[in-house]
Amino acid sequence: MTTAYRRLIATCQYFLGVLAILVTRVTFGQTVDLPADYSCSLCHRKQGELWNENTPLTDESNMAGDIHWQKGLRCHDCHGGAPTLDKFKNHRDDPEFRSVRLRTSIPGFCGHCHSSIETMRRFAPSARTDQEAEYWTSGHGRRLRASSRDDESRVDKAVATCVDCHGGHGILAVNNVKAPVYPTNVAQTCARCHANQTIMANRTFNDQPLGHDQFDQWRRGVHGRALLEKGDLSAATCNDCHGNHGAMPPGVDSVANACGTCHGKIANLFAETRMKHKFQEARLPGCATCHGTHETIQPSDELLGMEGTSICARCHNPQNPQYGATVAGEAAARAMRDRLEQLKDQIAQSEALVRAAERLGMEIRGPRFDLRQATDALTNARTLVHSFKPGPLEATLGEGLKVTDQVQAAARAAMREHTSRRVWLAASLVPILMVVALLLIYIRTLTPPSAVEPGEPGSAGH
Amino acid sequence: MKLLSTLRAFFDERLGLEAVRALARKKRVPNHGCSHFYYLGGMALFLFLVQIVTGILLSLYYKPSPDQAFESVRAIMTEVEFGWLIRSAHSWSANLLIGVLFLHLLTTYMMRAYRRPREMTWISGVLLLGLFMAFGFSGYLLPWNELAFFATRVGTAIVGVIPFIGDHLLLLARGGEDVTGDTLARFYSLHIVVLPLVTFGILGLHLFLVQKHGMSVPVLTAADGEHRTPSIPFVPHFLLRDMVGWYLALALLAALSALFPWELGTKADPFASAPAGIKPEWYFLFMFQTLKILPARLGPFEGEVCGVLFFGLCGLVVLLVPFLDRGGKSRMVLNVLAALAVAFFIFMTAWSWFSGPGQGVRQIMLGTLLVAVVLFLLIPFARAHSAARSAVYVCLAISVIAFLSASGWELMR
Amino acid sequence: MRVIHHATPTHAANGVFLIVHANPNPARRRWLLRALQGMIGATVIAILYPVARFLRPRKATVSGALELVAPLKPKDLLNGSAKPFDFAGKPCLLVLLPEGAKRLAQGERLQTDDVRAFNAVCTHVDCTVKYRPSEGDIFCNCHDGVYDLDGRNVSGPPPRPLEKYKVTLRGEPGQEEIVVSRQA
C-alpha cells in the first residue's frame, strides 16, 4: 500500500476511534478525557480499534481521582514516548518510552519524577525526593534486587514495589482518607502481604521467620485500637516504627528510639537506667521486652513487681535469674509495686470517705477537688517507674500520700460534724419533750369542765 | 402586765377582738369514743404552718431554673447554715402532712361528719386534699434531680392519657412537649403562689364552716341529741392537748430531719434514660401501681385511660359522699366501698413500695408504720375496756417498738 | 347547770379525753405554769436559732457556677506560681501573660487578653497542667505534654487543646478582680 493510502486509513480509523469514544462515553458513562489527538486508547482500551489480546489494558476506573491526573499529567508524562501517532510505531523502538515490564524497573519508573528535585518543586515544593533511594535500602528493595540479580525472570513477584502500596493508575494522595497509605489504612495495606501465610512462608529476617501475625497482634494492641477504634491518627502504625519507604524492622538497640519518638519522657527515663545497657548486652529489644512488639498491651500496675503476671519476675527470678538480673532489682521491683499499691489504696479509701461524707450531705467539695493532686501523683509515678529506681518514685508517691491523708482527715471531720448534728438533735429534744411532759401535768390541774350544759348546745353555734 | 392589758384594750376596741374571744370561749369539743380523731385537723394545720415557714425560708435560696435548681438545693444542704435542717423538715413535713390528711379524710368519713349541714365542709376538705397533693406533686420537681424529673415526666404523661382534653392538659402542665425549664417555672409558680392562694381561700372557708357548725358528733353518740354529748371547752382544755400533739410532731420532725436527712439525688439529665425502679412519692404509689398492672387494652379502650378515668370517678364519688349517703342501704354500700378503697390503697402502696430494689430496713420501717396507722384507726371500733381494745393496744405497742427498733438499726448503719 | 366536782380522779363518761382532777395547789400550779412557759420559750429559741443562722448570707458558691470571681489577684499570678483553683469542680489555671506582667509592674491597667483562664485538666490522661513563664508555655509534667498560651496542644501526647474560659477584668488598676466564666 502506498503511504498516502495508509495515512488515509489512519485518519479514518482515528475519526472512527473518536466516534467510538463518544459513543462509549454515552453508553458506558465514565471514561477519562484524553486530549483530542491522543492515540493511546486506540490500542490500550478494550474498545480501542487496534486492541488485541496481547495488548496490556489500562485500568482507568480510578483515573479521574488519580493525583497525577488531577495535576494535569497524562500517559506520556509517566510512560514517556509520544502521545500521538503519526504512523504506526512500536514502543520498543522508541528510546523515549519508559517501560515497566520488569518489576525491578518500577522504582526507577516512579523515581524518574519523584527523585527529581526540579520536577517535584513544580508540583509539590515541600515533598521529599529520596523515596527511591530509601526503597533500595529497605527489606523490600533488597529482596527485589537480590532475587533478580542473576536472572530477571526469577524476580520475587511477591515483594512490594511502589505500585503495590500506592496503586498504579488510581493513585490517591496520602492525605486522602481512601488512599491505601492513609494512616488508618496503612496497616491493612501492609497486611495484604504480611498477614498472608502463603506469601510469608519461608521468608526470614536475621534467621528468624518473618511470620504473618503482626497485623493481628497490632490490631489487638493499644496502638491498633487507638487508631482503628478511637480514630486517633497520632497512634503508631507500621510506618511510624518501621519507616516509610526504607521499611525495615528496627534493630534491637533502636527499638527504644522508635518508641521514644512519641513516648519521649519515658524513653528518656529509660535511657539513663542500667537496665537499658543490660538489655543491649543481652540483645533484648528495649521497650518491647516488657511491653511487647506488635501487640503492645495496655500497661497496668500488674506488670510491675514480683507477683503473679508481673514481667519483672521473668528475669529477676531468684531461682532462675536471666541475663544477669540482680537481687537488688528484685527488691526494687517489689518496693516500687508496693508503694504504688499503697497510694492506690489510700486514694480509694479517700474516695470512699469522701463519697460517704457526700452521701451524708456534708460539704466536701474542697477535699474532693484536692484529691486530684493525688491521682496526678499516681500518674506521674507510673511514668517514673521507668527509671527503675525506687528513689524518684518515693518522692512523688510521698506527695500523693500527703494529699490523701489530708483528704481523709477532712472527710472524717465532715462525718464527725454530721454526728454532732445528731447530738444537738438529742439536746433539742429535751426541751421539747419537757414541754410535752409539763403540758400533760398542767392539763391535769385544769378545772374539770362541766360535762354538759343543758339548755346550751354542746357545741358553739346555732 | 399593765402594758399588755392596755395594748389589748386598744386593739379590742378597734378590731373587735372580743367577738373572737367570745367564740373561743364558747367553742367546745365533744368527748366520746372517737374524740382523738379531732386532733387530726389541728395537726394538719400545724404541719401546714411548718410548710409555710420552711417553704418561705427555702425560697430565699432556691433558684428555679434547670441549671441552677439542683445546685441551689445542694448549696442549701451543704453551705447554708442549718439549710439541711430546714430542707429536710420541709420534705418530711410534706409527707407527714399528706399522711395526716388521708387519716383526717378517713376518720371524718367514719364519723360521718359530712351529714347535714356540714356537706360544704366535706367538699372543701376534699378539694383541700386535692390541693395538697398538687402541692406535693409540684414541689417534688423543684430539686430537679433524676428521680423528680422522671417522676414528673411519668406523672404528666398520665395526665395526657385523659381522653379529649388530655393533650391540652399535658401541654398546659408541662409548658411544652417535654419536661423543661418551663415546666419547672410553672410548677414553682404553682407551688409558691397559685396553690397557696387557692388553699388559703378554701382553707379559710373550711375553718369558718367548722367554727360555724361546730364539731360534729358520731351518729351513735348523738343518738340522744348532739347537744347532750359530754364535751370539753376548746380553750384551754382541748387546745392544750392539741399542743401536746403539735410538740410531739415537732419532736418527730426534728428527729427525722436530723437522723434521716432528705437525699439530694443526682442532677437530672433529660437526655439520659430513666433509671430503673423510678417511683413517685408514696402518696401516688397506689395510682402508679394500678396503672402499671393494667393491661394495655381493656376491651375497646386503652388500659391507661380506664385507669385514669377510674380514679377520676373515685375522686368524684369521694367528693359527693354527703349526697350519696342516704342512710341505711346506701350507707352500707359506701362503707363497703370505703373499706375496699382503704384496703386497695394500702395493698397497692405496699406492693409498689416493696417491689423494686430492696431497701431492707427502710421497708421494715415503713411496714411497721403502716401497721401502726391501721391499728390506730381501729381503736374506736373496739369497745373501751374490752379484750379487743387491749389487743389493739398491744399490737400497736408492738408495731411502734418494731418501728423504733428498725429506725435504730437503720441509724446504726 | 350541772358542774361536776370531784375530789378524786375520775373519767368523763364514754370519753377519750381523760378528765382528771388533781388537787390544784395554787402555788404548784403557778410554778408549773412558769416552768411550762419557760420550756416553751426554750423551744421557741431552739426553733428561732437555726432560722436566724439560716438567714445569714453564706460564702459565694463555687461548684456548678457558670461564673466566678477568682480567689486570686493578678499580682498572685506573677512568676507562674499560682495553683489552679476549683471552678465548677475542675481545676482552673490562670495565666498572666508577659505583657500583662509588664503592665502590672508599671502600674497600668491590665488589658483583657493579659489574663487567660484554662481548664487545667490535661486532655491526655487528666493530670493537672501548669504555666511555665520561662518557656512561655503550659506544661503537663506527667508525659511532657506542651500547650501554647492559647491552649493549643503543640507537643507531646495531648490530643486536644485545653478548654478555654472567658476572662473579664474589673476594678482598679493593680487591684483587678478576675472574673472567669464559661458556657453551660
Side-chain angles (χ1 to χ4, degrees), chain A residues 203-282:
Chain A
R203 289 185 193 275
T204 60
F205 177 73
N206 280 354
D207 301 321
Q208 300 287 333
L210 272 175
H212 59 277
D213 47 3
Q214 294 89 344
F215 177 62
D216 276 334
Q217 286 181 340
W218 172 85
R219 209 172 20 178
R220 280 198 299 269
V222 190
H223 298 123
R225 279 189 288 125
L227 188 63
L228 297 176
E229 289 167 24
K230 290 194 237 170
D232 184 357
L233 293 181
S234 67
T237 181
C238 311
N239 60 322
D240 293 304
C241 296
H242 291 279
N244 284 327
H245 300 97
M248 280 284 258
V252 286
D253 351 2
S254 345
V255 169
N257 293 334
C259 306
T261 321
C262 299
H263 297 276
K265 177 160 185 174
I266 293 181
N268 287 340
L269 284 170
F270 181 63
E272 289 165 18
T273 61
R274 280 213 332 257
M275 289 237 320
K276 176 164 200 221
H277 296 296
K278 289 288 181 187
F279 276 19
Q280 276 177 318
E281 281 171 27

Side-chain angles (χ1 to χ4, degrees), chain A residues 265 365 372 376 383 444-445, chain C residues 20 63 126-128 141 144:
Chain A
K265 177 160 185 174
R365 272 187 313 238
R372 288 198 100 256
D376 279 359
T383 312
R444 281 159 63 98
T445 70
Chain C
V20 178
S63 166
D126 290 356
C127 289
T128 312
N141 188 41
D144 287 2

